[in-house]
Amino acid sequence: MKKFVNDPKSFVPEMLEGIALANPETLKYVPAYNLIMRADMPNENKVSIVQGSGSGHEPAHVMVVGKGMLDAACPGDVFAAPPMDYVYETAKLLNSPKGVLLLVNNYTGDRMAFDMGKEMAEADGVRCEILTVNDDVAVQDSLYTVGRRGVAGNFFVIKAVGAASEQGADLDELLRIGRKVNDVTRTMGVALTACTPPAKGSPLFELGADEIEFGVGIHGEPGRERRRLVAADQIADDLLDAVVSDLPYNSGDRVALMINGLGGTPISELYILYRRAHQRLAAQGITVGRSYVNEYCTSLDMAGASLTLVRLDDEIETLLHAPAESAIRVF
Amino acid sequence: MKKFVNDPKSFVPEMLEGIALANPETLKYVPAYNLIMRADMPNENKVSIVQGSGSGHEPAHVMVVGKGMLDAACPGDVFAAPPMDYVYETAKLLNSPKGVLLLVNNYTGDRMAFDMGKEMAEADGVRCEILTVNDDVAVQDSLYTVGRRGVAGNFFVIKAVGAASEQGADLDELLRIGRKVNDVTRTMGVALTACTPPAKGSPLFELGADEIEFGVGIHGEPGRERRRLVAADQIADDLLDAVVSDLPYNSGDRVALMINGLGGTPISELYILYRRAHQRLAAQGITVGRSYVNEYCTSLDMAGASLTLVRLDDEIETLLHAPAESAIRVF
Amino acid sequence: MSIEKTELVVRTIADTAIGNEKYFGDLDSVVGDGDFGYSLARGFEKLLEGWDDLDRTDSGTFLKRTGMVIASRIGGTSGPIWGTAFMRAGGAAGGASELSTEQVVAMLRAAVDGIKARGQSDVGDKTLLDALVPFTDSLEATSDIHAAAAAARKAADATSDMVAKRGRAAYTGERSRGSVDAGAMAVAVLAERISEIWPTQGASS
Amino acid sequence: MSIEKTELVVRTIADTAIGNEKYFGDLDSVVGDGDFGYSLARGFEKLLEGWDDLDRTDSGTFLKRTGMVIASRIGGTSGPIWGTAFMRAGGAAGGASELSTEQVVAMLRAAVDGIKARGQSDVGDKTLLDALVPFTDSLEATSDIHAAAAAARKAADATSDMVAKRGRAAYTGERSRGSVDAGAMAVAVLAERISEIWPTQGASS
Ligand SMILES: Nc1ncnc2c1ncn2[C@@H]1O[C@H](COP(=O)(O)OP(=O)(O)O)[C@@H](O)[C@H]1O
Ligand SMILES: Nc1ncnc2c1ncn2[C@@H]1O[C@H](COP(=O)(O)OP(=O)(O)O)[C@@H](O)[C@H]1O
Ligand SMILES: [Mg+2]
Ligand SMILES: [Mg+2]
Ligand SMILES: [Mg+2]
Ligand SMILES: [Mg+2]
């Protein structure tokens, strides 16, 4: 394993400490619950917005804590939902008269931890609501799973509810907005290489030199199928077709287009995918109103990318345009 | 080679086209010279700031074209300085009565291309000055090379002159500021893996499973020495020691601290390095006034990182704080 | 089963989970995300950290406290699932100071029901239930921990032919066939370890 | 050497550079950044794209135009270095329609001086000069292109023992010893190819 890591067991806390040291004025770190929170929260005039999920997806979610985004994140270990205790304590610490919105990516472990944590916090008088994100089209709806997974599209849900809550929206309004954004957001990912969890020390799966995992999950879960490595344009087309046909997005739609890097892929390659997706959408009569090309939701050091579309209307577009701040910044 | 790439020969132009498509309102793309420029430049009341350099270091420099940063970038192919023609044509297109500032990372090829391009542009009446960036402490000063290489520290030079030029500074003033920032900026990098240039299709060098290249160049040039892979804290210490002792930075200094990812390393690991560097600087009486943890100057998909320090004074800190915009953005 | 014996069983589970971190993690990485061994090991380490302070009033209380530590400290799917199992087993034990085999079977049934409710899962979904239920059935039928452990092992091996319908592996559908379920195999390994320590500590409850 | 012959030599250089893209690139990746083959190949491709439109008034003009295309279109160190070499050689040729071996040697000397000036480099720095200068010396001494090509090859091989003092390889200091210089080896390969086509086109100028 070639990584910048000390003891794998301290990987997450050390990362969190680093984030806190780099943002002393804006963020607070509570080691007992892996908690990164805005230093100026809770605020009694604002709903608190919290997300948990496993670690290893950075910048999601600990690095998008900030004004106009999350008010707190309490991640679990790498790829493991946080223990319910973290959720419970975080909800209590972020308690606001306007309530606490708990964003949950749709995985069994995350849902259980947040359901249990919410029950406990409610017993202590904290008003909580859960909003589930499930944008991954790789998982065909099925009786068997908890349904589609929550992946990079959660950025848009966070951005929209974060912006609305800054403008004073109440908990019900945030639930409405969050569900609305989630409902028009779809993502599909592809892996070129496997990721290496620090505690495991070796790649999570094996991919041949000319193989890709189409529809991979952000925890390295196998996807729809193994395919042969093809040219970037073909991969962009395949991702786009899977996403466009799912909602579906139609000619005349205006969308946000995100190309998200999975951790090991340089931004130059993301723009190669972006170019093709943008051109192909245009050819289908779908207009890109806003573009996102960066890492948003990674899978450790996995080389790969995901493509997300959000169907825009005036309300969503205005919320996505609203100012926001976070620890992942350039300047 | 597992990359999102079509024809390696079109890697750079396709990436540039992607950048232009993603930023239609703010950027202009001139394919003939690999040129990405601000749509609102040139401006007769502002010095134009241009950087060239090879590609493969994204977001440097094509993705930091924007208000308060570069006005244009004309990269060469992957790891190859731009042909002098690109420099010449770019200088002409960006011609302003206040002059054109050409930022050059200190490599033989870049210097020759810019020297020749500048001469040709001057013959056409364009007023140009060259500012050379050379922050890499891995290269011990020597009679033989052109001296220290320009690496991730060029971000700070760009940021400072970009901010000053927005405030109306003239060419001489920008030269003064740029040289001043360059003089107090030092960087040291380390590679965990080799990068794979698209046209080569295989890793540029071989590193054993437990080897690191200490002092690697951003073009994959070998560094000071091969070392054994050690814990993240030890690597952070080694990078920091090389940088601190070079200027040197002293107790009482206030600095900007950058941990720059080289392309294949996830941001979680960068924060592990950041944590240690910040703590160790504090223990030496050196205060981190501003922090930067992200990818700024990469080497394609190389796993690795570099550490940069800038000694701050009021003037530099104010310029680094000034607002700026660019294609690499989160929101 | 006395409180000392309950303690020993829990301790054995904890030690075995910690000792098998890598093995369990590798099993989870075939069609899962590879963290099952890590989650379990870290959680049981936390349990051992506060081991001496656990309330030992009776077996039921001890198991409930164990379950609460696990549920609140282990992340991933396993925290809620395993925590619920221990809490429910403790609840079924009530305040009894000695537990008969019948009572132990009832506790295991309560744990199974808890897992089903928490995980919205059932036998046949390719989860730890597919080893835990056969283990319980065999213990009820034979009153023999060794036979029960063998049944768990056989059932865990058999999960290899199943398609996952719950948990992360379920996303892969047909591709989950061909490898055993990590949770089921963990149950088998734990059952075997418990059966090994059992006779040396006296065969009856 | 007639304008046709000059054309043929340049064409041979272009074809050989394009054909050896991978080999030259691999040489540059040992202690450089691996792009030498790519830069040269793309540059000479550009030259061939505008091949028919190059001014063929005389050998000197043709070489100058060639140099200008290379200098303005090849990136990296090689564009300015190779462009300068062709431009200087063209300048030394003047307006002559037939070039003697003496004149060819003078053109090569001009190219060498141009490279030295542009690269602030000299023989012994482990660059292409370490093959180009022995080639020129041998051509002057023997008037035999085959002998000159052999001298270039020998000199290129010998760069393996040298420590780089210019170019990207120089950053590595002592570590640059043990591998040949990519630019020097390219000169040797080009010289050999030129010597191969030479006799079939008539041995004299
Ligand atoms: N819904 C469920 N009900 C019961 N057991 C489950 C369920 N989902 C998963 N499991 C069990 O949990 C194991 C995986 O645990 P863990 O790795 O902690 O979960 P994850 O990483 O998917 O959150 C599986 O091997 C299976 O035995
Ligand atoms: N200063 C110099 N003077 C002459 N030749 C040089 C100089 N620097 C490098 N070279 C030659 O150029 C070759 C490398 O060319 P290239 O790969 O295009 O350069 P780079 O990638 O370093 O910009 C070297 O092998 C050497 O022969
Ligand atoms: Mg997990
Ligand atoms: Mg180069
Ligand atoms: Mg798992
Ligand atoms: Mg090179």
Side-chain angles (χ1 to χ4, degrees), chain C residues 28 33 35-36 77-78 81 119 121 127-128 166-168 181-183:
Chain C
D28 185 40
D33 62 352
D35 64 344
F36 173 63
T77 301
S78 295
I81 291 277
S121 47
T127 70
L128 77 172
R166 285 288 170 240
R168 212 178 286 282
D181 176 63

Side-chain angles (χ1 to χ4, degrees), chain A residues 79 81 83 85 144 213 219, chain C residues 35 72 75-76 165-166 168 175:
Chain A
F79 293 173
D85 229 33
Y144 300 136
E213 183 70 46
H219 308 88
Chain C
D35 64 344
S72 59
K165 295 182 185 160
R166 285 288 170 240
R168 212 178 286 282
R175 290 177 68 182

Side-chain angles (χ1 to χ4, degrees), chain A residues 8-9 32-33 77-86 106-110 112-113 116 119 139 143-149 197 199-200 204-205 213 219-226, chain C residues 21-22 25-26 28-35 38-39 42 45-46 68 70-81 84 87 118-120 125 164-168 170-172 175:
Chain A
K9 292 181 198 174
Y33 312 114
D77 259 312
V78 171
F79 293 173
M84 68 171 190
D85 229 33
Y86 292 11
N106 193 36
Y107 299 94
T108 304
D110 296 80
M112 291 193 299
M116 293 166 85
E119 272 174 43
V139 176
L143 280 176
Y144 300 136
T145 66
V146 286
R148 292 197 311 258
R149 302 175 290 213
K200 182 165 159 64
L204 198 47
F205 54 95
E213 183 70 46
H219 308 88
E221 307 101 312
R224 283 196 191 169
E225 58 181 0
R226 293 269 161 108
Chain C
E21 175 178 346
K22 189 171 154 20
D26 287 349
D28 185 40
S29 69
V30 182
V31 286
D33 62 352
D35 64 344
Y38 183 88
S39 292
R42 292 298 83 70
E45 273 172 12
K46 294 233 171 72
M68 282 167 68
I70 290 174
S72 59
R73 290 316 205 166
I74 304 195
T77 301
S78 295
I81 291 277
T84 299
M87 285 192 271
R118 177 67 62 204
Q120 308 203 309
D125 288 351
K165 295 182 185 160
R166 285 288 170 240
R168 212 178 286 282
Y171 297 122
T172 66
R175 290 177 68 182

Side-chain angles (χ1 to χ4, degrees), chain A residues 41-54:
Chain A
M41 287 296 290
N43 171 338
E44 61 178 25
N45 297 314
K46 187 186 164 312
V47 176
S48 292
I49 304 176
V50 171
Q51 178 131 18
S53 106

Side-chain angles (χ1 to χ4, degrees), chain B residues 146-203:
Chain B
V146 286
R148 292 198 310 260
R149 302 175 290 213
V151 288
N154 77 73
F155 173 85
F156 295 103
V157 176
I158 295 171
K159 181 70 184 70
V161 297
S165 79
E166 292 295 335
Q167 293 158 16
D170 67 16
L171 196 46
D172 289 338
E173 175 71 350
L174 294 185
L175 281 173
R176 180 189 67 76
I177 291 170
R179 288 192 188 121
K180 176 176 158 180
V181 173
N182 183 63
D183 283 350
V184 294
T185 300
R186 294 289 188 277
T187 300
M188 180 78 176
V190 62
L192 302 185
T193 67
C195 57
T196 296
K200 180 163 159 67
S202 58

